[in-house]
Amino acid sequence: MERIFVSELAEHIGEVVVLKGWIHKIKDLGKVSFITLRDKSGLVQVVVENSKIVDLKLENSVTVTGMATANSKAPEGIEIQNPDFTIMGKAYYEMLPFEVSGYKMKASLESQLDHRSISLRIPKARAVFKIQEEIVTAFRAYLKERMFSEIHTPKIISSSTEGGSEMFTVNYFDRRAFLAQSPQFYKQMMVGAGFERVYEIGHAYRAELHNTWRHLNEYVSLDVEMGFIEDEFDLMKLEEGFLNYLFQHLSKTCAKELRMHGIELPEKLDIPRIPLSEAQDILLEEFEKRSPVGNIDAEGEVLFSKYVKEKYDSDFVFLTKYPISKRPMYTMPDMDYPGMTKSFDLIYKGLEITTGGQRIHDYEMLKENIVKFGLVPEDFSFYLDSFKYGMPPHGGFAIGLERLTMKILNLTNIREATLLPRDMKRLEP
Ligand code: AMO
């Protein structure tokens, strides 16, 4: 008999079925026990006479063969009667590191991360990654529909893309190499190579010395780059379109997981676009909050989001027109706003989830800008050379996958939205 999943039980009432999964809970009622079986798709109650019970332990993996029976008193209205259990995977523990079936998670996040293969058995913890999987699915589908091609670019590279010293070094035979902070140069090169519109879903590495609730040293970057744009507002429109598409997609595919986390997604997003300097003025006037030159700090992001929520009823806000001095050398200056660039950040519920902008596409202008930034054009020759052959106007953005997941679900630490996080202290599991 072929195995079915718990989620398929409703179609098999009155039949003998084969289920596979783990022993989630055992409730001994004297004559009978209620055993909850958990598989990838859900939970089901199995009723066993205690005289027939085999030596079951919580978290054993098992095969259960029994009669699928409707019972309005059982959770979800279905239970398995007259079961036969076969133990498939023995359990070798004396005590589980923490409870998997409890209503509330009592273990610390550190302990959950130390025992990831146990903590991910908790349905609510695993639901986070169903949402994450569907974010990636929606990202692919939305962009594919709009003539974007998926690319895969190297993560071992020879030079910095984002400026700063936040690079991990790698021994590359007899040379020194780095782990990519972003696919920035390659996604631009592929626009110029004729793909016109590209996206990449891949790891990015940041050797940042920040051990905070919102920083990882390895994260997944959802990157987009688009050729023949008019200006950076084309990119904001594209991202806003994606987020609208995403929320509809999640409402359809992840209703159960969203419910588990108590999340209701808005039906339509209309994201305000506000110049950075205006946001800084508002922060000062409304909250007496001073901002660093050319930026908003973490506290400012939270306060400004609060303001936007009240004024525009939006969880999102695009901040536009960042100063040249605060953006990487590839960013297009804004001729209408001296000293500013055609770039933006997207803030979601108080956290930056995206940076993007139009890029410089003219070879001479880019070369000059590299020098203006105190860098040496020869160090970027492979990148710079690709601008010699008719590079079209273009731009793009990148969304941090874990940050987006975290904010959709109102999680308080980015590690909860990371399968196996890498941070300053954590290199295992
Ligand atoms: P930026 O460096 O702002 O821009 O990164 C883009 C987005 O990536 C996410 N992110 C992080 N997530 C978790 N931990 C980190 N340490 C971390 N650092 C960044 C954030 C951020 O908004 N090349 C540009 C993008 C572009 O212009 O296309 C870039 O990498 O969500």
Side-chain angles (χ1 to χ4, degrees):
M1 223 184 313
E2 211 175 305
R3 170 258 174 108
I4 64 162
F5 286 94
V6 166
S7 60
E8 297 167 325
L9 272 170
E11 300 147 39
H12 295 273
I13 302 289
E15 294 174 23
V16 173
V17 293
V18 178
L19 297 167
K20 290 177 192 283
W22 287 264
I23 303 294
H24 187 67
K25 206 189 255 180
I26 303 176
K27 199 163 149 196
D28 187 347
L29 298 177
K31 255 188 162 170
V32 293
S33 284
F34 285 164
I35 292 181
T36 307
L37 178 82
R38 183 188 72 243
D39 74 5
K40 178 183 177 115
S41 70
L43 304 171
V44 66
Q45 172 172 298
V46 184
V47 189
V48 204
E49 280 178 36
N50 277 350
S51 55
K52 287 197 187 163
I53 207 160
V54 285
D55 190 19
L56 290 178
K57 214 170 158 182
L58 286 177
E59 298 307 316
N60 273 139
S61 64
V62 294
T63 298
V64 182
T65 309
M67 176 67 78
T69 312
N71 176 358
S72 58
K73 287 192 197 132
E76 310 291 327
I78 301 175
E79 66 184 14
I80 306 296
Q81 294 180 353
N82 295 325
D84 276 327
F85 282 89
T86 313
I87 295 181
M88 309 300 288
K90 284 195 222 162
Y92 287 94
Y93 65 86
E94 270 174 29
M95 220 173 94
L96 282 170
F98 41 78
E99 228 181 304
V100 170
S101 64
Y103 177 66
K104 262 210 154 140
M105 184 68 203
K106 293 187 193 116
S108 67
L109 180 57
E110 282 303 302
S111 171
Q112 291 178 54
L113 296 174
D114 286 343
H115 301 98
R116 213 47 175 141
S117 63
I118 297 293
S119 63
L120 290 169
R121 292 180 183 204
I122 299 166
K124 192 172 169 186
R126 213 172 51 256
V128 173
F129 297 94
K130 166 70 177 168
I131 302 273
Q132 193 160 81
E133 178 187 335
E134 293 301 335
I135 294 174
V136 170
T137 301
F139 185 72
R140 273 208 175 93
Y142 178 78
L143 291 170
K144 253 179 178 307
E145 274 173 24
R146 284 159 186 78
M147 293 278 281
F148 283 78
S149 307
E150 181 162 10
I151 57 169
H152 305 282
T153 67
K155 302 300 158 219
I156 305 177
I157 61 172
S158 67
S159 56
S160 158
T161 54
E162 303 305 307
S165 55
E166 295 153 350
M167 308 273 287
F168 286 109
T169 51
V170 178
N171 290 328
Y172 196 68
F173 306 107
D174 58 346
R175 296 161 64 184
R176 193 165 77 127
F178 303 99
L179 293 182
Q181 293 168 302
S182 143
Q184 186 61 40
F185 289 175
Y186 297 116
K187 61 177 182 169
Q188 289 185 257
M189 285 165 66
M190 291 310 118
V191 166
F195 288 96
E196 289 192 36
R197 298 175 171 198
V198 297
Y199 67 95
E200 176 160 2
I201 302 160
H203 279 113
Y205 298 89
R206 303 282 169 112
E208 290 169 319
L209 301 173
H210 300 304
N211 214 6
T212 77
W213 57 273
R214 62 186 197 284
H215 286 99
L216 294 166
N217 294 111
E218 178 185 61
Y219 69 94
V220 176
S221 185
L222 303 177
D223 267 273
V224 175
E225 200 70 18
M226 184 178 184
F228 298 104
I229 60 168
E230 206 62 52
D231 57 27
E232 75 277 28
F233 288 91
D234 284 351
L235 304 166
M236 287 181 246
K237 204 168 131 201
L238 183 72
E239 185 167 16
E240 185 178 50
F242 162 62
L243 290 167
N244 270 293
Y245 179 93
L246 171 66
F247 280 12
Q248 279 175 23
H249 178 81
L250 292 181
S251 299
K252 269 187 254 152
T253 56
C254 298
K256 185 172 100 183
E257 288 77 12
L258 291 168
R259 223 178 311 119
M260 281 163 107
H261 283 265
I263 301 298
E264 241 179 80
L265 295 174
E267 270 175 26
K268 170 102 181 64
L269 301 179
D270 214 343
I271 307 180
R273 289 127 167 92
I274 301 176
L276 174 73
S277 59
E278 215 175 282
Q280 289 177 322
D281 290 347
I282 293 168
L283 279 171
L284 196 58
E285 281 160 28
E286 299 275 329
F287 303 98
E288 291 177 22
K289 164 77 190 162
R290 278 180 199 288
S291 298
V293 178
N295 211 347
I296 284 187
D297 60 19
E299 190 198 6
E301 285 176 355
V302 173
L303 292 174
F304 195 64
S305 279
K306 206 172 133 199
Y307 168 85
V308 169
K309 181 75 185 166
E310 274 163 25
K311 174 121 198 246
Y312 300 94
D313 191 26
S314 172
D315 288 329
F316 292 87
V317 57
F318 281 116
L319 294 178
T320 63
K321 316 239 174 279
Y322 278 76
I324 291 173
S325 58
K326 294 289 165 188
R327 289 302 213 208
M329 53 76 172
Y330 54 76
T331 315
M332 180 68 101
D334 193 328
M335 299 311 172
D336 297 330
Y337 296 83
M340 300 298 150
T341 58
K342 287 174 166 282
S343 69
F344 59 88
D345 273 7
L346 178 62
I347 315 292
Y348 178 25
K349 295 182 186 166
L351 178 67
E352 176 211 308
I353 60 157
T354 291
T355 295
Q358 185 171 350
R359 329 296 187 187
I360 297 172
H361 62 276
D362 182 78
Y363 171 76
E364 284 299 340
M365 186 177 174
L366 183 58
K367 197 164 139 188
E368 240 173 68
N369 216 45
I370 291 176
V371 175
K372 271 193 211 158
F373 271 69
L375 301 165
V376 183
E378 286 69 35
D379 290 348
F380 299 94
S381 50
F382 78 89
Y383 171 62
L384 196 53
D385 281 356
S386 66
F387 287 73
K388 281 183 183 166
Y389 311 100
M391 180 67 95
H394 66 280
F397 57 85
I399 310 174
L401 176 63
E402 296 84 354
R403 286 193 178 184
L404 177 57
T405 313
M406 171 191 174
K407 281 293 159 183
I408 288 176
L409 292 175
N410 292 338
L411 306 175
T412 52
N413 193 309
I414 194 166
R415 290 160 188 77
E416 293 174 73
T418 313
L419 217 43
L420 298 160
R422 289 292 174 261
D423 62 29
M424 280 179 72
K425 298 218 178 100
R426 193 172 280 281
L427 199 50
E428 283 176 347

